[in-house]
Amino acid sequence: MLKALQALAVCALLATPAAAREISPQDQVKAMARGINVLGYDPLWNDPAKARFQMRHFKAIKDGGFDAVRLNLHAFSHMDADNRLDPAWLKTLDQVVQAALAQKLTVILDEHDFGPCGEDPAACKPRLTAFWRQIGEHYRTAPDRVVFELLNEPNKGLDDAVWNGWVAELLPVVRATNPTRNVVVGPAFWNNIAHLDALRLPAQDRHLIVTVHYYLPMEFTHQGAPWNPSTPKTGVTWGTQAEHQRMKADFDGVQAWAKAHDRPMLLGEFGAYDKGDMASRAAYTAAAAREAEARGWAWAYWQFDSDFIAYDVKNDGWVAPIHEALVPR
């Protein structure tokens, strides 16, 4: 009986009258001002009993001054040979979305399978299309605080031209069931700011939020990262006037594009890997967050747990310098 009541509660929250309300992407960006990436590499998706992230952490996120969560979904590994999503995975996703919405957080459903899509676009495309067809139908009555993100960091084989073609094909799949839901789309080459000018969006679709990721300079933000052998050196600091000015100039370029195209912006990822010194990491994080806020963008820090961490799950508390850099007292 308890499980049945819990299931009804999830359905009720995902099908509220707010689902019918149309919110502009500009107002959506204002509402999801400060966000954080969550659950990308958590055992929860394969075995909820082994989860590091607990549903109570959404309250910690809200109480910590955040407005949104970007759920990093690796859905391809939860699809069968016919590209159907595993019902058990969908049930877990519903519980996660419900718990976040209960804290009045905006929820970005980010399809995060950038690796398989960049390596083999031909194999990825039918899976990505099937994902959005199913998720679009599943969440068609969800509140407007549920936002879709087509694909994290298109890269390699998904170059500018190929990705633009995919955007033109994927958006109608979403719009078939969610005609006014706000959708996040970013440029190719890992959502790189330098590729914004190559991004082509359908002019008639005014429910789009454009995202970029910012980790420049990589020799600082990714120092010591084992997956990035081009930045093996550690001991790199950040915070000179010239480094601040470079960031300002980079963000000014993005802002000029946003104004020219009348598109609101989400800084979907930023941060510095935890092999760097804490003072520099905090300075960089604070600078990026304030520069985004000054331009009216929303942002989502990378990430809550795992690496680049903002919250120490083992000790059940915020990493104070990073948290204070993101949400100043």
Side-chain angles (χ1 to χ4, degrees):
M1 177 62 74
L2 179 58
K3 288 184 177 180
L5 290 173
Q6 289 172 335
L8 287 172
V10 170
C11 292
L13 192 53
L14 294 179
T16 65
R21 186 166 70 90
E22 180 177 344
I23 181 172
S24 74
Q26 290 81 7
D27 286 342
Q28 191 103 61
V29 162
K30 290 177 183 177
M32 64 184 195
R34 293 174 170 177
I36 195 162
N37 284 269
V38 299
L39 281 166
Y41 304 97
D42 198 285
L44 172 138
W45 300 110
N46 293 314
D47 185 353
K50 296 180 180 178
R52 293 192 306 270
F53 190 98
Q54 304 296 317
M55 298 304 122
R56 64 181 176 82
H57 286 132
F58 286 120
K59 185 177 189 304
I61 289 169
K62 184 66 175 181
D63 291 347
F66 295 90
D67 308 294
V69 289
R70 182 172 179 253
L71 303 184
N72 311 132
L73 307 176
H74 295 84
F76 289 2
S77 61
H78 301 280
M79 286 177 158
D80 65 16
D82 295 316
N83 295 330
R84 291 174 300 200
L85 288 165
D86 180 359
W89 183 85
L90 269 176
K91 179 180 178 182
T92 298
L93 179 60
D94 280 345
Q95 292 169 343
V96 169
V97 171
Q98 185 269 344
L101 290 176
Q103 295 300 322
K104 302 190 184 307
L105 293 163
T106 296
V107 181
I108 304 168
L109 301 183
D110 150 47
E111 220 311 285
H112 208 77
D113 281 300
F114 63 99
C117 288
E119 295 292 343
D120 191 349
C124 164
K125 190 177 181 182
R127 290 201 146 198
L128 189 60
T129 303
F131 172 83
W132 283 116
R133 184 173 291 113
Q134 292 168 84
I135 289 296
E137 176 63 35
H138 190 75
Y139 287 111
R140 66 187 304 165
T141 61
D144 52 46
R145 283 186 289 117
V146 176
V147 177
F148 295 164
E149 182 171 349
L150 290 183
L151 179 67
N152 173 72
E153 295 186 345
N155 65 88
K156 297 182 180 179
L158 277 178
D159 61 18
D160 295 314
V162 174
W163 177 235
N164 286 334
W166 281 27
V167 170
E169 294 180 42
L170 287 169
L171 281 173
V173 173
V174 172
R175 294 300 178 219
T177 50
N178 293 263
T180 62
R181 188 174 302 282
N182 288 314
V183 176
V184 176
V185 185
F189 202 74
W190 313 91
N191 293 150
N192 194 297
I193 62 172
H195 285 246
L196 261 179
D197 283 338
L199 180 63
R200 301 290 179 263
L201 300 174
Q204 73 278 9
D205 194 329
R206 305 316 300 176
H207 280 282
L208 301 178
I209 296 167
V210 175
T211 189
V212 291
H213 294 179
Y214 192 80
Y215 291 109
L216 299 176
M218 290 287 285
E219 58 267 25
F220 167 67
T221 64
H222 282 64
Q223 60 185 296
W227 67 87
N228 195 347
S230 64
T231 57
K233 182 181 176 183
T234 56
V236 182
T237 60
W238 188 92
T240 67
Q241 184 176 0
E243 288 163 339
H244 278 274
Q245 286 303 122
R246 177 190 175 176
M247 181 184 286
K248 286 178 181 290
D250 286 342
F251 282 42
D252 282 344
V254 174
Q255 185 73 342
W257 183 94
K259 287 185 175 180
H261 294 82
D262 190 25
R263 299 291 189 180
M265 298 300 304
L266 166 67
L267 179 60
E269 291 185 19
F270 67 101
Y273 187 57
D274 35 277
K275 295 298 183 183
D277 78 274
M278 182 59 81
S280 292
R281 291 177 59 216
Y284 180 91
T285 299
R290 302 296 86 76
E291 294 291 350
E293 291 167 0
R295 291 162 178 80
W297 308 352
W299 53 253
Y301 176 75
W302 185 269
Q303 61 181 325
F304 183 81
D305 186 21
S306 188
D307 48 33
F308 293 73
I309 68 170
Y311 193 93
D312 186 338
V313 169
K314 183 178 180 180
N315 293 309
D316 203 17
W318 292 102
V319 178
I322 299 300
H323 183 227
E324 291 170 14
L326 292 167
V327 186
R329 292 180 179 178

